[in-house]
Amino acid sequence: MHNAGIAALGLNWRYLAFDVSPEDLRAAIKGAKAMKFIGLNLTVPHKLLALDMVDQLDESARQWGAVNTIRFEARDAEGQWRPLAQFAGNVPDEIQAKGFNTDADALSRALREELDWQLSPGSGVLVLGAGGAGRVAALKLASEGAGILFLVNRTIAKAEAMAAEIRKRFPRQEVTVGYPKNKVDMVINATSLGLQPEDDLPFDPNRFSLRQTRGVYDLIYRPAETPLLKAAKAAGCRAANGLGMLLHQGAKALEIWSDKPAPLGVMRRALEKEVYA
């Protein structure tokens, strides 16, 4: 998706993937800065670790407490920090790493576009998973005024910690740890269950039924149809995978690096070809 977008924008860049262990993340960011990379994307488990490894946090990273995009910047002749993409020719040696989060807004946009759904004051949402993705999803929903949030995680203490953070940051938000007894508007899967065909459903069928919800959004995008999505469709739910969120978080990252509008159509087609081929 990124290389398709980069080509469409006529940029002489290349987007590459690197495996980096958590204990090497700080060195990797430092090395990318030294080599004057334009920027980085980070995936799990690096998004929380990177908060303390960048020189500056954008408001988005501060608000959602995670970094999935880094932009490298240098000082211009007036002493202002500017993205490295804006320097023609020699790039100054003094460079800083600035952290952003593009996941939260991408989730909201994907829910609107893929499922034609947005929060209303009475909306009930069940969030499965309290890791980095689940935390950002729950905080974003709370910031937009979800009616009530239900948080479920394999480790209850982690869900309770997330609920406490939501109550502290959004005192008016109603949040419960555990499954809803009545109907909810949306179920969001932020666990890794579904990556493998033999995976169980990410919820306990003895405590919750998909007939209790109108919609299901699975952050997993490969495979295109997880066991959860298959079950959701059988139950008559509107359902979508995480491809739309992946697209929008990536497009926003490209805009952060290039300061140009991302070619969404080109990037979506590249994603669909890669994931659904």
Side-chain angles (χ1 to χ4, degrees), residues 29-30 32-33 37-42 47 50-62 66-74 80-84 86 94-102 252-253 256-257:
I29 294 173
K30 186 176 180 181
K33 182 195 297 187
F37 278 32
I38 293 291
L40 300 172
N41 275 147
L42 306 177
K47 297 181 183 183
L51 285 167
D52 297 323
M53 298 181 184
V54 295
D55 303 301
Q56 187 179 353
L57 291 173
D58 177 72
E59 177 56 31
S60 61
R62 283 195 295 270
V67 171
N68 78 321
T69 300
I70 292 175
R71 181 176 72 193
F72 293 108
E73 303 175 341
Q80 300 297 312
W81 290 107
R82 291 169 49 203
L84 294 196
Q86 295 183 11
E94 185 185 2
I95 294 174
Q96 73 168 6
K98 186 172 183 179
F100 298 77
N101 184 287
T102 67
K252 182 62 178 178
I256 287 170
W257 298 322

Side-chain angles (χ1 to χ4, degrees), residues 250-271:
K252 182 62 178 178
L254 184 55
E255 291 178 355
I256 287 170
W257 298 322
S258 68
D259 199 29
K260 296 181 178 182
L264 277 174
V266 169
M267 297 176 76
R268 182 183 287 277
R269 286 192 293 274
L271 261 186

Side-chain angles (χ1 to χ4, degrees), residues 138-165:
L139 287 171
K140 179 63 174 176
L141 292 166
S143 75
E144 294 186 352
I148 180 170
L149 289 175
F150 298 90
L151 310 179
V152 170
N153 192 64
R154 182 174 53 188
T155 305
I156 296 177
K158 202 167 182 180
E160 289 174 339
M162 190 163 79
E165 181 181 4

Side-chain angles (χ1 to χ4, degrees), residues 1-13 254 258 260-267 269-270:
M1 132 176 100
H2 276 299
N3 284 321
I6 286 166
L9 292 176
L11 298 168
N12 187 22
W13 298 355
L254 184 55
S258 68
K260 296 181 178 182
L264 277 174
V266 169
M267 297 176 76
R269 286 192 293 274

Side-chain angles (χ1 to χ4, degrees), residues 7 12 15 38 45 52 78 88 99 149 159 174 178 217 222 237 248 253:
N12 187 22
Y15 189 92
I38 293 291
D52 297 323
E78 286 73 43
L149 289 175
E174 187 175 353
Y217 192 77
R222 181 182 285 154
C237 303
H248 289 301

Side-chain angles (χ1 to χ4, degrees), residues 24-191:
D24 292 331
L25 179 60
R26 189 181 297 275
I29 294 173
K30 186 176 180 181
K33 182 195 297 187
M35 290 187 288
K36 301 180 180 178
F37 278 32
I38 293 291
L40 300 172
N41 275 147
L42 306 177
T43 188
V44 291
H46 299 321
K47 297 181 183 183
L48 301 181
L49 297 174
L51 285 167
D52 297 323
M53 298 181 184
V54 295
D55 303 301
Q56 187 179 353
L57 291 173
D58 177 72
E59 177 56 31
S60 61
R62 283 195 295 270
Q63 185 173 13
W64 309 120
V67 171
N68 78 321
T69 300
I70 292 175
R71 181 176 72 193
F72 293 108
E73 303 175 341
R75 291 189 188 275
D76 61 17
E78 286 73 43
Q80 300 297 312
W81 290 107
R82 291 169 49 203
L84 294 196
Q86 295 183 11
F87 287 85
N90 294 329
V91 176
D93 289 328
E94 185 185 2
I95 294 174
Q96 73 168 6
K98 186 172 183 179
F100 298 77
N101 184 287
T102 67
D103 285 331
D105 289 344
L107 173 62
S108 293
R109 186 164 178 178
L111 288 171
R112 290 195 304 271
E113 293 182 359
E114 307 290 326
L115 296 176
D116 192 25
W117 182 82
Q118 52 190 0
L119 284 170
S120 61
S123 298
V125 183
L126 169 59
V127 179
L128 303 169
R135 179 177 172 277
V136 169
L139 287 171
K140 179 63 174 176
L141 292 166
S143 75
E144 294 186 352
I148 180 170
L149 289 175
F150 298 90
L151 310 179
V152 170
N153 192 64
R154 182 174 53 188
T155 305
I156 296 177
K158 202 167 182 180
E160 289 174 339
M162 190 163 79
E165 181 181 4
I166 291 170
R167 293 187 188 107
K168 181 178 179 180
R169 293 181 58 176
F170 305 99
R172 295 183 180 181
Q173 176 62 54
E174 187 175 353
V175 57
T176 297
V177 174
Y179 291 98
K181 291 183 170 56
N182 300 313
K183 289 192 174 184
V184 292
D185 292 281
M186 186 63 57
V187 173
I188 296 176
N189 177 38
T191 77

